[in-house]
Amino acid sequence: MSQSISEQIHKSVATGFAVVAGILVCSAPLQARITKIVVDETVSPAFCKGTSCASFGDAGQYEQISGRAFGELDPGDPLNKLIQDIELGKDPDGKVRYVATFVLTKPVDMAKASGLMWHDVPNRGRPLTIATAERAFGDVGLASAWQGDNAGMNAKLGTAVRATMSAGGNHWLQVPVAKNADGSPVTGPVLGRIINRSGPGAQPLIVQTNPLPYLPASLDTSKAKLVSRDHESTDGVVTGETPIAGADWKFCGGGTFEAPLPLKQLPVHICLKGGFNPAKLYQVVYTAKDPYILGIGFAAWRDVASFFKYAAKDDFGTANPLAGRISSSITRGRSQSGNYLRGWLHLGFNQDEARRQVHDGMWPIIAGRRIALNFRWAQPDGVLELYQAGSEGPQWWVPYPDQARGLPTRSILDRCAATKTCPKVIEHFGAAEIWALKLGPEWVGTDPKEDIPLPGNVRRYYIGSTAHGGGSGGFDTSLPGFGLPTKPIECPGNNSGFGVLPANPMPHTEP
């Protein structure tokens, strides 16, 4: 009887323990860029209901360890030097530091571990863990933070925030704010938009589901520009744009134009005289201050994975809970998290500062573009609305020219190919990603005259006629849960109402 793919993967992983043990011994003098880990909470055993705790195949019971990883970066290292503004985030000793949350999901008895580690990308900080089937094999799950502008953004990163993470709250990444060499604030223009909002109340500047992460340098609206628009085409042609006088709106923290609340923290709100018209789009451009160095999120993701895969202990003697037991690792992200992985790999972050390959495999799921993270004033929650970055070339896996923009022949894999650190890649997606999420150029480029070939390390699977992530199965829209919503669904930011037809139930998973 032939083995399943999962069985073949886990058999090959199990043979790698001796190799990993040798790496740990040989690399002991090399300090991973994670210098310290702090365990905030251990739940052992985990997955319990009352006094009954689940057991998973031969791996037995699992536990979960949540904590923080403290990392430092050498801004002069070529692997880090491409991080936007990294030189503006240095401490007095010349290093750049960050703190990232992590959660490990592992067998209580690591002798029963398979040797395979899944490194999952949280989507906008939301917690996640490996599936029951992966626990049954004895796999290890690692989730860690990458986004420095979401959870914890408006709070001191102290006990209260740590406790939230330990209790299953959002992941957060603490990164430095860019400062000029003389210590003065960095400022620059930022664009925010308000869509499908009505009424006299203040409206927040939201990017998808999180606040636009930059406060204005001045509350003087004469130094900013607010306009309303009647229509925009997909190629940016605007009709019916009307400037709004600075005396007719205010930066605020809520309330109304007549009774505004002070702006003390994010999100930035706009209070508009006469209120908002749902038939119009509102766009504001203002001078912001204190940009986060968000590109550090690529390096933090790399370094946390490298520590748990290769290190024996941190610089203070705290043991790596996985030391010597991980022989292979696969990183995985869904939707925006998959976009993150494509950008992470494109910029060469699958190689750590010790010049080791970080992940052996990568699985970007329903992801057709790269994350917009590594530039000043980045808005990593953005998707594909007009003026939101992230869909620039290259989006393809082999060197290919960008015909529309006249850009040179290149690919997502260029950097890892040069250092021989490319993982094996599996990607899968459906019709929504092709028709609505700009994935088409990955297949045919920007001059769609031919299919772009795939390299030997990439496999692609297309599930036709499916919504983003697939439906719930059943193949019958008359079943409960498949009908139209009975009331409007609140969707901050890019709220575009709700559909007139039921969602396609075609799933992306087996029944």
Side-chain angles (χ1 to χ4, degrees), residues 78-282:
L79 297 178
N80 302 325
K81 206 167 185 177
L82 51 65
I83 296 174
Q84 177 70 44
D85 288 335
I86 192 169
E87 291 287 340
L88 303 184
K90 293 189 294 188
D91 285 336
D93 64 356
K95 296 297 179 66
V96 176
R97 291 177 171 84
Y98 61 86
V99 185
T101 59
F102 68 85
V103 175
L104 289 171
T105 304
K106 59 181 276 300
V108 173
D109 181 359
M110 281 299 290
K112 297 179 179 179
S114 69
L116 174 62
M117 180 176 75
W118 294 94
H119 191 186
D120 284 309
V121 186
N123 192 323
R124 298 177 173 87
R126 293 187 284 267
L128 72 171
T129 188
I130 57 173
T132 299
E134 291 157 356
R135 292 174 228 150
F137 280 116
D139 295 352
V140 170
L142 168 64
S144 64
W146 63 270
Q147 190 170 345
D149 70 321
N150 54 8
M153 174 169 51
N154 296 315
K156 298 291 184 182
L157 296 180
T159 303
V161 177
R162 295 201 301 270
T164 300
M165 186 63 239
S166 299
N170 279 3
H171 284 273
W172 50 262
L173 172 68
Q174 183 183 20
V175 298
V177 167
K179 297 290 184 184
N180 291 315
D182 62 1
S184 61
V186 172
T187 61
V190 165
L191 179 147
R193 288 150 75 84
I194 297 170
I195 305 172
N196 292 335
R197 296 299 176 187
S198 62
Q203 293 296 338
L205 298 179
I206 300 292
V207 183
Q208 189 68 4
T209 57
N210 282 323
L212 178 67
Y214 307 108
L215 291 168
S218 170
L219 299 182
D220 183 353
T221 55
S222 68
K223 298 179 180 180
K225 182 179 181 181
L226 177 67
V227 300
S228 66
R229 292 178 172 179
D230 293 337
H231 184 266
E232 291 178 344
S233 70
T234 56
D235 56 358
V237 176
V238 175
T239 55
E241 178 172 295
T242 302
I244 299 173
D248 291 338
W249 66 279
K250 301 172 183 176
F251 289 113
C252 60
T256 64
F257 179 80
E258 292 76 16
L261 299 177
L263 177 57
K264 296 182 178 180
Q265 63 178 22
L266 296 173
V268 176
H269 286 70
I270 301 296
C271 288
L272 180 63
K273 186 177 181 179
F276 291 85
N277 182 344
K280 294 182 181 291
L281 177 152
Y282 297 85

